[in-house]
Amino acid sequence: MRQAYWTFGVVLVAWWGVQALSLPKKAPLVAGPDTLLSEVYEELGAEVPNRPNYALEGVSAEAGRSIVVDGKTVSPSGEVTGRQSKHFVCTSCHNIEREDPDLTVSDPQARLMYVQGKGLPFLQGTTLYGAINRTSFYNGDYQKKYGDLVRPARNDIREAIQLCAIECSQGRPLEDWEIESVMAYFWTIGFKIEDLGLSESEMQGVNDALAGKGDQAAAATLLQSKYLSGSPASFVDPPPDRKAGYEELVGNPENGKVVYDLSCMHCHDKQRYSMFNLDNSKYSFQFLKRHFNRYTRYSVYQVSRYGTSPMAGKRSYMPNYTFEKLSHQQMEDLKAYIFEMAD
Protein backbone atom coordinates (compact mmCIF):
# COMPACT_ATOMS: atom_id res chain seq x y z
CA MET A 1 0.00 0.00 0.00
CA ARG A 2 2.79 2.44 0.90
CA GLN A 3 4.43 1.65 -2.43
CA ALA A 4 1.18 2.50 -4.21
CA TYR A 5 0.85 5.84 -2.41
CA TRP A 6 4.47 6.67 -3.18
CA THR A 7 4.00 5.82 -6.85
CA PHE A 8 0.82 7.90 -7.00
CA GLY A 9 2.62 10.83 -5.43
CA VAL A 10 5.46 10.67 -7.93
CA VAL A 11 2.99 10.58 -10.79
CA LEU A 12 1.03 13.52 -9.36
CA VAL A 13 4.16 15.66 -8.96
CA ALA A 14 5.24 14.79 -12.49
CA TRP A 15 1.79 15.70 -13.82
CA TRP A 16 1.89 19.09 -12.12
CA GLY A 17 5.35 19.67 -13.52
CA VAL A 18 4.10 19.02 -17.04
CA GLN A 19 1.14 21.34 -16.47
CA ALA A 20 3.42 24.11 -15.18
CA LEU A 21 5.65 23.81 -18.22
CA SER A 22 2.64 23.99 -20.51
CA LEU A 23 1.24 27.14 -18.89
CA PRO A 24 1.90 30.33 -20.86
CA LYS A 25 4.68 32.39 -19.34
CA LYS A 26 4.01 35.97 -18.26
CA ALA A 27 5.08 38.30 -21.02
CA PRO A 28 7.80 40.75 -19.94
CA LEU A 29 6.71 44.32 -19.38
CA VAL A 30 7.37 46.58 -22.34
CA ALA A 31 7.75 50.12 -21.04
CA GLY A 32 5.98 52.82 -23.02
CA PRO A 33 5.44 56.55 -22.47
CA ASP A 34 2.51 56.03 -20.06
CA THR A 35 4.08 53.21 -18.04
CA LEU A 36 4.42 54.09 -14.37
CA LEU A 37 8.02 54.26 -13.22
CA SER A 38 7.19 52.26 -10.08
CA GLU A 39 5.94 49.39 -12.22
CA VAL A 40 9.18 49.39 -14.18
CA TYR A 41 11.21 49.31 -10.96
CA GLU A 42 9.17 46.32 -9.77
CA GLU A 43 9.83 44.43 -12.98
CA LEU A 44 13.54 45.24 -12.79
CA GLY A 45 13.69 43.84 -9.29
CA ALA A 46 14.68 47.22 -7.83
CA GLU A 47 13.59 48.26 -4.36
CA VAL A 48 10.16 49.90 -4.36
CA PRO A 49 9.73 51.04 -0.75
CA ASN A 50 6.54 53.08 -1.10
CA ARG A 51 4.00 50.42 -1.99
CA PRO A 52 0.53 51.16 -0.58
CA ASN A 53 -0.87 48.70 1.94
CA TYR A 54 -4.22 47.58 0.55
CA ALA A 55 -4.72 45.08 3.38
CA LEU A 56 -6.28 47.77 5.56
CA GLU A 57 -10.03 48.17 5.20
CA GLY A 58 -11.09 51.23 3.26
CA VAL A 59 -7.84 51.83 1.41
CA SER A 60 -8.28 53.06 -2.16
CA ALA A 61 -6.74 55.56 -4.54
CA GLU A 62 -10.15 57.24 -4.87
CA ALA A 63 -10.31 57.84 -1.12
CA GLY A 64 -6.74 59.15 -1.20
CA ARG A 65 -7.50 61.63 -3.93
CA SER A 66 -10.49 62.92 -1.99
CA ILE A 67 -8.31 63.48 1.06
CA VAL A 68 -5.69 65.33 -1.00
CA VAL A 69 -8.11 67.50 -2.96
CA ASP A 70 -11.13 67.85 -0.65
CA GLY A 71 -9.62 67.18 2.78
CA LYS A 72 -12.16 64.45 3.51
CA THR A 73 -13.45 61.16 2.13
CA VAL A 74 -15.77 58.25 2.87
CA SER A 75 -14.70 56.05 5.78
CA PRO A 76 -14.77 52.21 5.75
CA SER A 77 -18.10 52.42 7.59
CA GLY A 78 -19.59 54.45 4.75
CA GLU A 79 -19.68 57.78 6.58
CA VAL A 80 -18.04 60.97 5.40
CA THR A 81 -14.98 61.70 7.52
CA GLY A 82 -14.42 65.00 9.25
CA ARG A 83 -12.16 67.42 7.42
CA GLN A 84 -8.52 66.70 8.02
CA SER A 85 -7.94 70.45 8.45
CA LYS A 86 -10.28 73.39 8.84
CA HIS A 87 -7.76 75.63 7.14
CA PHE A 88 -6.07 73.88 4.22
CA VAL A 89 -6.15 70.96 1.82
CA CYS A 90 -3.04 69.45 0.27
CA THR A 91 -3.57 71.39 -2.95
CA SER A 92 -3.42 74.67 -1.05
CA CYS A 93 0.37 74.37 -1.23
CA HIS A 94 1.04 71.47 -3.62
CA ASN A 95 0.20 70.80 -7.23
CA ILE A 96 -0.82 67.29 -8.22
CA GLU A 97 0.57 67.54 -11.74
CA ARG A 98 4.08 67.81 -13.06
CA GLU A 99 5.47 71.32 -12.55
CA ASP A 100 9.12 71.17 -13.70
CA PRO A 101 10.26 70.90 -17.33
CA ASP A 102 13.51 69.21 -16.22
CA LEU A 103 13.15 66.82 -13.29
CA THR A 104 16.89 66.85 -12.56
CA VAL A 105 17.09 70.50 -11.48
CA SER A 106 15.17 72.87 -9.24
CA ASP A 107 14.78 76.08 -11.24
CA PRO A 108 12.04 78.45 -10.01
CA GLN A 109 11.91 80.52 -13.22
CA ALA A 110 11.68 77.45 -15.44
CA ARG A 111 8.97 76.17 -13.12
CA LEU A 112 7.06 79.46 -13.29
CA MET A 113 7.03 79.40 -17.08
CA TYR A 114 6.05 75.73 -17.11
CA VAL A 115 3.10 76.06 -14.73
CA GLN A 116 1.92 79.17 -16.55
CA GLY A 117 1.75 77.15 -19.76
CA LYS A 118 -0.12 74.37 -17.96
CA GLY A 119 -2.58 76.65 -16.16
CA LEU A 120 -1.27 75.61 -12.73
CA PRO A 121 -0.50 77.71 -9.64
CA PHE A 122 3.05 78.57 -8.54
CA LEU A 123 3.30 77.26 -4.99
CA GLN A 124 5.53 76.97 -1.92
CA GLY A 125 5.32 73.18 -1.74
CA THR A 126 6.75 70.65 -4.18
CA THR A 127 4.25 68.96 -6.44
CA LEU A 128 2.82 65.66 -5.20
CA TYR A 129 3.22 64.30 -8.71
CA GLY A 130 6.11 61.87 -8.47
CA ALA A 131 6.18 62.00 -4.66
CA ILE A 132 5.89 58.22 -4.55
CA ASN A 133 9.20 58.00 -6.43
CA ARG A 134 11.12 60.38 -4.18
CA THR A 135 13.06 59.13 -1.18
CA SER A 136 13.83 62.34 0.70
CA PHE A 137 11.41 64.87 2.20
CA TYR A 138 11.53 68.05 4.29
CA ASN A 139 15.05 68.59 3.04
CA GLY A 140 17.56 71.34 3.65
CA ASP A 141 16.50 74.05 6.05
CA TYR A 142 13.13 72.61 7.04
CA GLN A 143 14.75 71.30 10.18
CA LYS A 144 15.13 74.94 11.24
CA LYS A 145 11.36 75.24 11.16
CA TYR A 146 10.21 71.87 12.49
CA GLY A 147 13.21 70.76 14.52
CA ASP A 148 13.37 67.08 15.45
CA LEU A 149 9.95 66.47 13.90
CA VAL A 150 11.78 66.33 10.57
CA ARG A 151 13.98 63.38 11.57
CA PRO A 152 11.43 60.56 11.09
CA ALA A 153 9.97 62.29 8.02
CA ARG A 154 13.22 62.90 6.14
CA ASN A 155 13.35 59.42 4.58
CA ASP A 156 9.84 58.10 5.22
CA ILE A 157 7.01 59.33 3.02
CA ARG A 158 4.34 58.19 5.48
CA GLU A 159 5.92 60.20 8.28
CA ALA A 160 6.22 63.13 5.88
CA ILE A 161 2.50 62.92 5.07
CA GLN A 162 1.65 62.87 8.77
CA LEU A 163 3.94 65.80 9.55
CA CYS A 164 2.28 67.79 6.79
CA ALA A 165 -1.18 66.88 8.09
CA ILE A 166 -0.47 67.97 11.66
CA GLU A 167 2.02 70.82 11.37
CA CYS A 168 1.65 72.26 7.88
CA SER A 169 -2.11 71.84 7.60
CA GLN A 170 -2.70 72.53 11.30
CA GLY A 171 -5.13 69.63 11.32
CA ARG A 172 -5.77 66.23 12.85
CA PRO A 173 -3.51 63.20 12.41
CA LEU A 174 -4.51 60.91 9.57
CA GLU A 175 -5.59 57.38 10.44
CA ASP A 176 -3.59 54.49 9.03
CA TRP A 177 -6.14 53.66 6.34
CA GLU A 178 -6.21 57.33 5.30
CA ILE A 179 -2.43 57.46 4.94
CA GLU A 180 -2.44 54.27 2.90
CA SER A 181 -5.20 55.68 0.71
CA VAL A 182 -3.07 58.77 0.09
CA MET A 183 -0.20 56.41 -0.76
CA ALA A 184 -2.48 54.55 -3.18
CA TYR A 185 -3.38 57.84 -4.86
CA PHE A 186 0.26 58.91 -4.99
CA TRP A 187 1.02 55.61 -6.75
CA THR A 188 -1.35 56.62 -9.57
CA ILE A 189 0.38 60.00 -10.01
CA GLY A 190 3.91 58.69 -9.89
CA PHE A 191 6.36 59.54 -12.63
CA LYS A 192 5.74 57.99 -16.02
CA ILE A 193 8.46 56.89 -18.39
CA GLU A 194 7.68 59.82 -20.69
CA ASP A 195 8.53 62.25 -17.87
CA LEU A 196 12.15 61.13 -17.76
CA GLY A 197 13.23 62.29 -21.20
CA LEU A 198 14.94 59.04 -22.16
CA SER A 199 16.77 58.86 -25.47
CA GLU A 200 15.84 56.11 -27.92
CA SER A 201 18.91 54.11 -26.99
CA GLU A 202 18.21 54.53 -23.26
CA MET A 203 14.62 53.44 -23.77
CA GLN A 204 15.80 50.39 -25.70
CA GLY A 205 18.24 49.57 -22.91
CA VAL A 206 15.49 49.69 -20.32
CA ASN A 207 13.23 47.44 -22.33
CA ASP A 208 16.11 45.02 -23.00
CA ALA A 209 16.64 44.82 -19.23
CA LEU A 210 12.93 44.22 -18.70
CA ALA A 211 13.10 41.38 -21.20
CA GLY A 212 16.03 39.82 -19.37
CA LYS A 213 18.54 40.78 -22.08
CA GLY A 214 20.32 43.56 -20.23
CA ASP A 215 21.68 44.72 -16.88
CA GLN A 216 18.62 45.34 -14.71
CA ALA A 217 20.53 47.12 -11.94
CA ALA A 218 22.13 49.48 -14.46
CA ALA A 219 18.72 50.20 -15.98
CA ALA A 220 17.28 51.08 -12.57
CA THR A 221 20.26 53.34 -11.84
CA LEU A 222 19.76 55.10 -15.17
CA LEU A 223 16.10 55.78 -14.38
CA GLN A 224 16.97 57.11 -10.93
CA SER A 225 19.41 59.59 -12.50
CA LYS A 226 16.60 61.24 -14.44
CA TYR A 227 14.94 62.99 -11.49
CA LEU A 228 15.77 64.50 -8.11
CA SER A 229 15.27 62.17 -5.16
CA GLY A 230 14.09 65.14 -3.09
CA SER A 231 13.50 68.88 -3.34
CA PRO A 232 16.25 71.19 -2.04
CA ALA A 233 15.09 73.86 0.40
CA SER A 234 17.10 76.93 1.39
CA PHE A 235 15.62 79.48 3.76
CA VAL A 236 16.72 83.01 2.86
CA ASP A 237 16.21 86.46 4.35
CA PRO A 238 14.68 89.58 2.87
CA PRO A 239 17.28 92.02 1.50
CA PRO A 240 19.24 93.90 4.20
CA ASP A 241 18.12 97.17 2.67
CA ARG A 242 14.50 96.61 1.74
CA LYS A 243 14.21 99.88 -0.10
CA ALA A 244 17.17 98.97 -2.33
CA GLY A 245 16.01 95.40 -2.77
CA TYR A 246 17.98 92.27 -3.57
CA GLU A 247 21.51 92.81 -4.87
CA GLU A 248 20.42 95.81 -6.93
CA LEU A 249 18.43 93.51 -9.22
CA VAL A 250 16.10 95.22 -11.68
CA GLY A 251 12.57 93.90 -11.48
CA ASN A 252 10.59 92.81 -14.53
CA PRO A 253 6.93 93.71 -13.93
CA GLU A 254 5.74 91.41 -16.72
CA ASN A 255 7.25 88.40 -14.95
CA GLY A 256 6.04 89.79 -11.63
CA LYS A 257 2.47 89.72 -12.90
CA VAL A 258 2.78 85.99 -13.51
CA VAL A 259 4.03 85.49 -9.93
CA TYR A 260 1.17 87.59 -8.56
CA ASP A 261 -1.50 85.82 -10.58
CA LEU A 262 -0.28 82.26 -10.02
CA SER A 263 0.99 82.57 -6.47
CA CYS A 264 -0.46 85.46 -4.47
CA MET A 265 -3.94 85.13 -5.93
CA HIS A 266 -4.00 81.36 -5.45
CA CYS A 267 -4.41 81.84 -1.71
CA HIS A 268 -5.66 85.39 -1.29
CA ASP A 269 -8.22 85.80 -4.07
CA LYS A 270 -11.58 85.97 -2.27
CA GLN A 271 -9.75 84.70 0.84
CA ARG A 272 -9.51 81.20 -0.60
CA TYR A 273 -6.94 80.03 1.97
CA SER A 274 -6.28 83.25 3.83
CA MET A 275 -8.17 85.80 5.87
CA PHE A 276 -6.28 88.49 3.94
CA ASN A 277 -8.05 89.30 0.71
CA LEU A 278 -6.29 90.45 -2.46
CA ASP A 279 -7.60 91.28 -5.90
CA ASN A 280 -6.52 93.25 -8.96
CA SER A 281 -7.81 96.58 -7.70
CA LYS A 282 -5.57 99.60 -7.29
CA TYR A 283 -6.40 99.52 -3.58
CA SER A 284 -4.77 96.09 -3.17
CA PHE A 285 -1.64 97.15 -5.03
CA GLN A 286 -1.38 100.43 -3.14
CA PHE A 287 -1.72 98.59 0.18
CA LEU A 288 0.99 96.10 -0.76
CA LYS A 289 3.28 98.86 -2.02
CA ARG A 290 2.88 100.82 1.20
CA HIS A 291 3.95 97.83 3.29
CA PHE A 292 6.43 96.17 0.92
CA ASN A 293 9.61 97.65 2.39
CA ARG A 294 8.41 97.69 5.98
CA TYR A 295 8.83 95.17 8.80
CA THR A 296 5.15 94.35 9.15
CA ARG A 297 2.90 91.33 8.76
CA TYR A 298 1.76 92.81 5.45
CA SER A 299 5.21 93.23 3.94
CA VAL A 300 5.65 90.92 0.95
CA TYR A 301 9.38 90.73 1.70
CA GLN A 302 8.62 89.72 5.27
CA VAL A 303 5.92 87.12 4.79
CA SER A 304 7.35 85.57 1.63
CA ARG A 305 10.73 84.87 3.20
CA TYR A 306 9.68 84.21 6.80
CA GLY A 307 6.06 83.18 6.42
CA THR A 308 3.62 83.84 9.24
CA SER A 309 2.95 81.78 12.34
CA PRO A 310 -0.33 80.30 13.58
CA MET A 311 -1.86 82.39 16.33
CA ALA A 312 -4.50 81.78 18.98
CA GLY A 313 -7.86 81.80 17.26
CA LYS A 314 -6.22 81.86 13.82
CA ARG A 315 -4.31 78.68 13.13
CA SER A 316 -4.13 79.21 9.39
CA TYR A 317 -0.86 80.80 8.35
CA MET A 318 1.34 81.55 5.35
CA PRO A 319 4.25 79.20 4.61
CA ASN A 320 7.50 80.81 3.56
CA TYR A 321 8.98 80.57 0.08
CA THR A 322 12.38 78.92 -0.04
CA PHE A 323 14.96 80.24 -2.49
CA GLU A 324 14.26 77.23 -4.73
CA LYS A 325 10.57 78.14 -4.90
CA LEU A 326 10.91 81.92 -5.35
CA SER A 327 14.19 83.44 -6.47
CA HIS A 328 15.47 86.88 -5.51
CA GLN A 329 14.89 87.98 -9.10
CA GLN A 330 11.28 86.81 -9.00
CA MET A 331 10.76 88.71 -5.75
CA GLU A 332 12.03 91.88 -7.38
CA ASP A 333 9.84 91.17 -10.41
CA LEU A 334 6.82 90.90 -8.11
CA LYS A 335 7.77 94.15 -6.40
CA ALA A 336 8.12 95.92 -9.75
CA TYR A 337 4.67 94.73 -10.84
CA ILE A 338 2.98 95.77 -7.58
CA PHE A 339 4.61 99.20 -7.63
CA GLU A 340 3.69 99.71 -11.28
CA MET A 341 0.06 98.78 -10.68
CA ALA A 342 -0.15 100.95 -7.57
CA ASP A 343 0.77 104.16 -9.42
Side-chain angles (χ1 to χ4, degrees):
M1 183 62 72
R2 290 181 179 176
Q3 181 67 28
Y5 278 124
W6 184 85
T7 302
F8 175 75
V10 171
V11 172
L12 184 62
V13 169
W15 182 82
W16 278 113
V18 172
Q19 294 302 310
L21 290 173
S22 64
L23 289 175
K25 294 182 178 180
K26 178 184 176 183
L29 174 68
V30 178
D34 292 332
T35 306
L36 288 172
L37 179 59
S38 295
E39 294 177 355
V40 176
Y41 282 146
E42 284 188 321
E43 290 292 319
L44 291 173
E47 182 180 4
V48 186
N50 296 330
R51 290 186 180 89
N53 179 11
Y54 288 101
L56 295 178
E57 184 183 5
V59 172
S60 72
E62 293 77 13
R65 188 182 191 283
S66 295
I67 293 169
V68 169
V69 175
D70 302 320
K72 58 185 178 180
T73 189
V74 178
S75 71
S77 64
E79 299 177 352
V80 177
T81 64
R83 283 180 58 90
Q84 186 277 319
S85 169
K86 297 178 181 179
H87 316 289
F88 303 106
V89 292
C90 300
T91 49
S92 302
C93 296
H94 301 272
N95 281 314
I96 54 176
E97 298 179 43
R98 179 176 174 173
E99 64 181 13
D100 290 290
D102 184 345
L103 300 179
T104 65
V105 297
S106 182
D107 182 338
Q109 184 58 27
R111 184 180 308 117
L112 179 65
M113 295 296 95
Y114 188 85
V115 297
Q116 181 188 29
K118 295 291 185 178
L120 301 172
F122 184 62
L123 304 176
Q124 296 100 321
T126 300
T127 180
L128 301 177
Y129 185 83
I132 202 76
N133 305 115
R134 294 194 287 272
T135 56
S136 182
F137 313 91
Y138 287 96
N139 301 301
D141 289 334
Y142 273 106
Q143 190 159 356
K144 295 179 179 179
K145 183 173 184 178
Y146 298 114
D148 288 343
L149 295 175
V150 165
R151 293 182 184 274
R154 185 62 53 91
N155 300 115
D156 188 327
I157 190 173
R158 290 173 173 83
E159 292 289 347
I161 292 170
Q162 196 70 287
L163 176 57
C164 195
I166 298 170
E167 296 296 329
C168 302
S169 292
Q170 290 289 293
R172 64 172 175 83
L174 289 168
E175 297 183 22
D176 289 346
W177 71 270
E178 291 177 306
I179 288 182
E180 294 307 320
S181 290
V182 172
M183 293 288 290
Y185 173 58
F186 283 178
W187 187 276
T188 69
I189 58 171
F191 290 138
K192 298 177 181 178
I193 289 296
E194 67 180 353
D195 296 320
L196 305 187
L198 297 174
S199 66
E200 287 187 18
S201 61
E202 288 173 331
M203 190 70 181
Q204 184 61 55
V206 170
N207 275 317
D208 285 345
L210 288 169
K213 302 175 184 177
D215 189 329
Q216 294 186 328
T221 299
L222 169 69
L223 296 173
Q224 291 164 355
S225 73
K226 298 297 184 177
Y227 60 93
L228 295 176
S229 62
S231 296
S234 304
F235 288 10
V236 291
D237 297 321
D241 183 342
R242 298 191 181 189
K243 186 174 182 180
Y246 278 117
E247 305 164 6
E248 300 182 354
L249 295 173
V250 177
N252 175 1
E254 183 177 341
N255 199 56
K257 180 184 187 321
V258 182
V259 176
Y260 185 83
D261 290 344
L262 302 185
S263 187
C264 305
M265 293 295 281
H266 174 72
C267 284
H268 295 282
D269 183 27
K270 298 181 176 64
Q271 299 178 313
R272 181 181 290 118
Y273 300 120
S274 171
M275 295 175 67
F276 179 53
N277 184 63
L278 286 175
D279 54 29
N280 287 302
S281 68
K282 186 173 287 289
Y283 174 81
S284 284
F285 293 118
Q286 289 176 337
F287 183 90
L288 292 175
K289 178 182 178 180
R290 188 162 61 251
H291 286 271
F292 211 107
N293 300 331
R294 296 179 180 177
Y295 293 78
T296 72
R297 188 177 179 83
Y298 299 104
S299 164
V300 177
Y301 274 143
Q302 185 82 8
V303 298
S304 295
R305 289 313 189 202
Y306 296 146
T308 63
S309 300
M311 301 185 301
K314 183 181 180 297
R315 296 185 66 189
S316 61
Y317 67 101
M318 178 174 168
N320 63 308
Y321 280 87
T322 66
F323 183 69
E324 292 80 7
K325 298 302 181 185
L326 184 72
S327 70
H328 292 339
Q329 180 63 62
Q330 289 171 327
M331 180 73 84
E332 293 306 312
D333 294 344
L334 177 60
K335 181 177 182 178
Y337 174 65
I338 289 172
F339 278 43
E340 180 181 90
M341 297 300 291
D343 293 338

